């Protein structure tokens, strides 16, 4: 069953399915869809949750073997997996298909994929098995032309009336980063009056423009270690949430991977830039980064980014800022700076 994101709330009010696959390359919307499913499951009595981050050393046999083990204090549990791409490998594909086919009213299988399902993935046996057993929620990015309307609707949910010019200004500032746009709107909801004009938006974003996540990603892509670690330290001191930093870094890695794939397929770089929403003023920077990141290194960084994402969202392991610092260091091919994590 395919469920459009806009109909997910209505679907969940009518009852839970045993399996959900949420996929897309827009982390804010993917994360919110997963949150909605998880919250609905908790209301239905799924008190236990196991979170697994799929990396190169992931043991699929252990996952399948422990899938039926309930804790001593809960009768129903959520088994949640995070995948950086819709490529779980042969062992993973077989395991996911088997889990989907094994009916168990006390187990909810929830899978989040931080990338779009391409044609090959959509036709794969494991995706079809999950789709037949439960639901597939595909999250699509918000187009640049639709972004101001998206921001106005989101502002209304926070009790704000965002003027058209203000929405356009915010859309330009966040450059398609929905998580950053949402953070700005939350801040405005706490500090601004209900009516928000363009001047208020520009003043708000300027107040955090000195050390923001965009400066960090630009410094990382530009191969500037000193500047990158300085900005990273400032972000932490200013109280920026590590999940936002992790998202921004993962977004850049995902973009580079998409561009690499497009170029390998013979697509012209300007066409690939336009199709993937790379703004003209960033194309020189991104083009240089493309030459520095070879496929093997990029794949390893994407795996590390998925692990970092899980940690900053509560998975056990190292401290969130330590994980973020390690990811920055890896992207720069430098040792992590002491005191930053």
């Amino acid at each position: 069953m395919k469920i459009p994101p806009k109909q997910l709330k209505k679907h969940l009010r009518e009852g839970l399915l045993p399996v959900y696959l949420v996929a897309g390359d827009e982390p804010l919307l993917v994360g919110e869809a997963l949150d909605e499913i998880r919250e609905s499951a908790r209301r239905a009595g799924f008190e236990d949750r196991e979170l697994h981050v799929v990396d190169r050393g992931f043991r699929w046999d252990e996952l399948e073997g422990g899938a039926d083990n309930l804790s001593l204090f809960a009768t129903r549990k959520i088994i949640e997996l995070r995948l950086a791409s819709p490529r779980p490998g042969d062992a993973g594909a077989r395991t996911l298909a088997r889990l989907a086919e094994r009916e168990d009213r006390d187990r909810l299988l929830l899978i989040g994929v931080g990338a779009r399902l391409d044609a090959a993935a959509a036709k794969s046996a494991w995706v079809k098995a999950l789709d037949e057993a439960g639901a597939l929620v595909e999250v699509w990015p918000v187009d640049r032309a639709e972004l101001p309307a998206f921001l106005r609707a989101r502002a209304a949910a926070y009790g704000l009336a965002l003027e058209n010019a203000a929405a356009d200004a915010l859309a330009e500032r966040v450059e398609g980063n929905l998580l950053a746009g949402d953070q700005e709107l939350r801040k405005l909801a706490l500090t601004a009056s209900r009516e928000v004009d363009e001047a208020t938006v520009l003043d708000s974003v300027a107040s955090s423009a000195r050390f923001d996540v965009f400066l960090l990603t630009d410094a990382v892509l530009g191969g500037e270690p000193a500047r990158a670690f300085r900005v990273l330290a400032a972000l932490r001191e200013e109280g920026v949430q590590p999940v936002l930093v992790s998202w921004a870094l993962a977004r850049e890695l995902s973009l580079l991977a998409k561009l690499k794939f497009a170029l390998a397929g013979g697509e012209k770089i300007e066409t690939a830039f336009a199709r993937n929403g790379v703004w003209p003023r960033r194309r020189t920077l991104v083009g240089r980064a493309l030459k520095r990141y070879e496929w093997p290194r990029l794949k390893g960084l994407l795996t590390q980014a998925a692990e970092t994402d899980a940690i900053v969202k509560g998975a056990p392991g190292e401290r969130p800022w330590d994980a973020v610092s390690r990811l920055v260091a890896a992207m720069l091919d430098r040792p992590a700076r002491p005191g930053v994590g």
Side-chain angles (χ1 to χ4, degrees), residues 163-309:
E163 294 182 359
N164 289 344
D168 290 341
L170 184 55
E172 171 72 19
R173 178 64 185 81
V174 301
E175 294 187 343
N177 184 331
L178 300 190
L179 195 57
D182 182 69
Q183 185 180 57
E184 289 296 338
L185 290 173
R186 288 176 183 270
K187 183 171 67 174
L188 286 167
L190 295 173
T191 60
S193 60
R194 184 178 185 280
E195 302 290 333
V196 180
D197 58 16
E198 182 179 11
T200 302
V201 166
L202 293 176
D203 180 65
S204 176
V205 298
S207 67
S208 61
R210 183 182 176 196
F211 288 118
D212 64 8
V213 291
F214 304 110
L215 290 178
L216 174 63
T217 55
D218 284 355
V220 171
L221 291 188
E224 303 177 71
R227 180 180 173 220
F229 283 114
R230 184 171 66 250
V231 174
L232 183 64
L235 286 169
R236 185 180 184 186
E237 290 172 3
E238 292 178 2
V240 173
Q241 291 298 312
V243 66
L244 178 60
V245 182
S246 172
W247 177 87
L249 295 169
R251 177 175 178 265
E252 297 298 337
L253 290 170
S254 177
L255 171 64
L256 292 175
K258 292 175 187 175
L259 292 172
K260 283 276 190 186
F261 184 79
L263 296 178
E267 190 170 346
K268 293 182 179 179
I269 191 167
E270 289 301 321
T271 304
F273 279 154
R275 188 170 57 82
N276 286 280
V278 181
W279 292 59
R281 62 175 175 267
R282 296 196 78 228
R283 291 182 180 181
T284 299
L285 175 69
V286 174
R288 289 174 181 169
L290 274 173
K291 297 177 181 178
R292 291 186 13 246
Y293 291 93
E294 297 297 331
W295 264 121
R297 182 184 176 200
L298 194 53
K299 290 177 181 178
L301 288 171
L302 284 167
T303 298
Q304 185 174 345
E307 295 169 354
T308 302
D309 175 71

Side-chain angles (χ1 to χ4, degrees), residues 21-25 30 81 83-86 111-117 126:
L21 171 61
V22 182
D25 49 13
V30 169
L81 287 86
L83 288 79
S85 76
I111 303 167
V113 181
R116 232 181 273 186
L117 295 179
W126 72 274

Side-chain angles (χ1 to χ4, degrees), residues 119-130:
K123 295 177 182 177
S124 64
W126 72 274
V127 170
K128 289 182 178 180
L130 295 175

